[in-house]
Amino acid sequence: MAVAVSAFGTYPGGKEACLYTLSNGKGMQAAVTNVGAALVQVMAPDKNGSMADVVLGCGRAEDYMDNSCFLGVVVGPNANRTGGACFCLDGVTYHLDANVGSNNLHSHKTMGWHKRFWEAQTGENSVTFSLEDGDGSLGFPGVRKVSVTYSLEEDNALRIHYHGTSDSRTILNLTNHTYFNLEGHDSGSMEDHELWLGASHFTPTDSESIPTGEIAPVAGTPMDFTVPQRIGDRIGADYAQLKMAGGYDHNWVIDGWDGTLRHFATAKAPVSGRILEAYTTLPGVQFYAGNFLEEQAGKGGISYGPRMGFCLETQYFPDSANKPQFPDTVFGGDRAYDAVTVYRFTTM
């Protein structure tokens, strides 16, 4: 099917942003835009066939420039947290923006790739966004060329393919920061959703949400989703990791990671009967329950707030640049960055 293209507003400096809408034969749609290569909308059927938009987002390109909670955007060049806002690579120390205390979050809050304008090229029911960033930009070495391709398949699977190269060794760790609510983006809290994670370990953090370097079992803790659990049941438990983060905001270690596409999560909405199955080639997933989702205007005049959506941010582990025991995030030269994440929508 052809990709529908419509105006979506203006990027600072005058570039016109578009909304690219993918559709399949079952009536599902996914819409993306140039700003932050953001996933703006996903229309998915419920158990009765009724469609609803199940991702939180903004109604025009300009609003993505004020998107402090990273709704739907691609985060790069390095997603998540870097302790001390620095890392050492090949004997050189690189300094990043200290934007959360003395640490770095998502590379840069105002100039990271989630705020950049990505050039778009449409394909057969797909859109590929491309970006080039110069050596030293945001504190990272290497001239980096990256692409993100969204494609919508006939089995209601939204596929995201990331690819990146660099002319020298650098750190690359991209993710998509979409907030899902399978009852609909305007339906309020998502704490009634049931979640299963194929992850028997997670990476505990210190009080500043920087991983300690430990890979700890989830068994016997509120972090255990190896048996499906209602998200809200234990989110307020008297458990140090949850109290420090205000709820779930941690990296889970995907069982059996070998670089192939693996089913790592299933979320179910009790009222609509929508199911989200998630797959990735990456080793980790940041499950974020929207604990600090700020009050902000969303699509259709909806006001978003805490825990109205949850994120399944597939990734390499946080602070991997400083944790040699974690999977390696050094790319460049003859090692290209290449990853796939799939979000497939079904019903009960």
Side-chain angles (χ1 to χ4, degrees), residues 175-196:
T175 196
N176 180 281
H177 208 291
T178 293
Y179 292 78
F180 295 99
N181 188 319
L182 301 178
E183 303 290 13
H185 79 106
D186 54 355
S187 64
S189 172
M190 53 78 227
E191 291 181 71
D192 279 343
H193 284 54
E194 180 185 274
L195 179 67
W196 168 85

Side-chain angles (χ1 to χ4, degrees), residues 89 113 133-135 140-146 163-172 330-337:
L89 178 61
W113 291 354
D133 213 5
D135 182 31
F140 295 88
V143 176
R144 289 143 293 154
K145 298 178 181 180
V146 294
H163 187 78
T165 61
S166 174
D167 66 352
S168 63
R169 281 161 51 87
T170 190
I171 301 296
L172 282 174
V330 178
F331 294 90
D334 59 0
R335 188 188 184 209
Y337 179 94

Side-chain angles (χ1 to χ4, degrees), residues 11 33 81 92 123 130 133 155 178 191 208 212 251 272 282 284 294 303 347:
Y11 186 76
T33 191
R81 292 170 171 82
V92 178
S130 299
D133 213 5
D155 63 350
T178 293
E191 291 181 71
E208 296 181 324
T212 63
N251 171 68
S272 67
L282 290 163
E294 297 172 359
S303 180
T347 59

Side-chain angles (χ1 to χ4, degrees), residues 2-308:
V3 177
V5 183
S6 57
F8 196 57
T10 305
Y11 186 76
K15 287 186 176 181
E16 295 300 316
C18 292
L19 190 70
Y20 303 87
T21 301
L22 313 176
S23 304
N24 68 12
K26 296 182 178 179
M28 183 177 160
Q29 293 185 334
V32 292
T33 191
N34 308 85
V35 184
L39 178 59
V40 176
Q41 181 187 69
V42 172
M43 299 295 295
D46 69 5
K47 60 188 177 183
N48 299 314
S50 298
M51 307 297 285
D53 185 358
V54 296
V55 302
L56 279 59
C58 303
R60 57 181 192 146
E62 290 86 344
D63 296 334
Y64 280 95
M65 299 308 297
D66 297 321
N67 181 16
S68 62
C69 293
F70 301 86
L71 302 180
V73 292
V74 169
V75 179
N78 184 55
N80 220 308
R81 292 170 171 82
T82 301
C86 67
F87 62 91
C88 183
L89 178 61
D90 298 332
V92 178
T93 298
Y94 295 91
H95 295 276
L96 311 179
D97 186 46
N99 56 18
V100 179
S102 61
N103 305 305
N104 175 267
L105 175 65
H106 294 331
S107 301
H108 200 288
K109 288 187 176 180
T110 59
M111 295 185 291
W113 291 354
H114 69 289
K115 292 289 182 73
R116 294 279 296 275
F117 187 94
W118 295 63
E119 299 296 335
Q121 182 174 358
T122 59
E124 185 178 348
N125 218 26
S126 68
V127 181
T128 297
F129 294 107
S130 299
L131 182 73
E132 181 173 333
D133 213 5
D135 182 31
S137 175
L138 306 181
F140 295 88
V143 176
R144 289 143 293 154
K145 298 178 181 180
V146 294
S147 66
V148 178
T149 300
Y150 292 91
S151 55
L152 182 60
E153 301 172 356
E154 286 302 313
D155 63 350
N156 284 359
L158 179 64
R159 181 183 181 92
I160 309 174
H161 178 204
Y162 306 87
H163 187 78
T165 61
S166 174
D167 66 352
S168 63
R169 281 161 51 87
T170 190
I171 301 296
L172 282 174
N173 186 16
L174 281 67
T175 196
N176 180 281
H177 208 291
T178 293
Y179 292 78
F180 295 99
N181 188 319
L182 301 178
E183 303 290 13
H185 79 106
D186 54 355
S187 64
S189 172
M190 53 78 227
E191 291 181 71
D192 279 343
H193 284 54
E194 180 185 274
L195 179 67
W196 168 85
L197 292 174
S200 54
H201 293 77
F202 78 112
T203 52
T205 66
D206 63 18
S207 61
E208 296 181 324
S209 294
I210 304 299
T212 63
E214 180 186 6
I215 295 177
V218 299
T221 79
M223 315 302 278
D224 189 352
F225 286 89
T226 57
V227 174
Q229 303 286 337
R230 180 179 170 275
I231 291 174
D233 279 352
R234 299 173 298 172
I235 200 167
D238 186 13
Y239 180 69
Q241 288 292 309
L242 293 178
K243 293 172 78 70
M244 286 190 293
Y248 296 113
D249 188 12
H250 298 77
N251 171 68
W252 271 256
V253 177
I254 294 171
D255 289 341
W257 174 65
D258 59 3
T260 62
L261 194 66
R262 302 188 71 85
H263 178 205
F264 71 89
T266 297
K268 297 181 179 180
V271 177
S272 67
R274 291 188 184 91
I275 299 173
L276 171 61
E277 297 173 349
Y279 305 77
T280 192
T281 62
L282 290 163
V285 57
Q286 187 85 7
F287 164 45
Y288 175 44
N291 311 312
F292 299 105
L293 183 57
E294 297 172 359
E295 297 285 344
Q296 66 182 92
K299 294 171 288 189
I302 298 300
S303 180
Y304 298 141
R307 297 187 182 157
M308 285 184 67

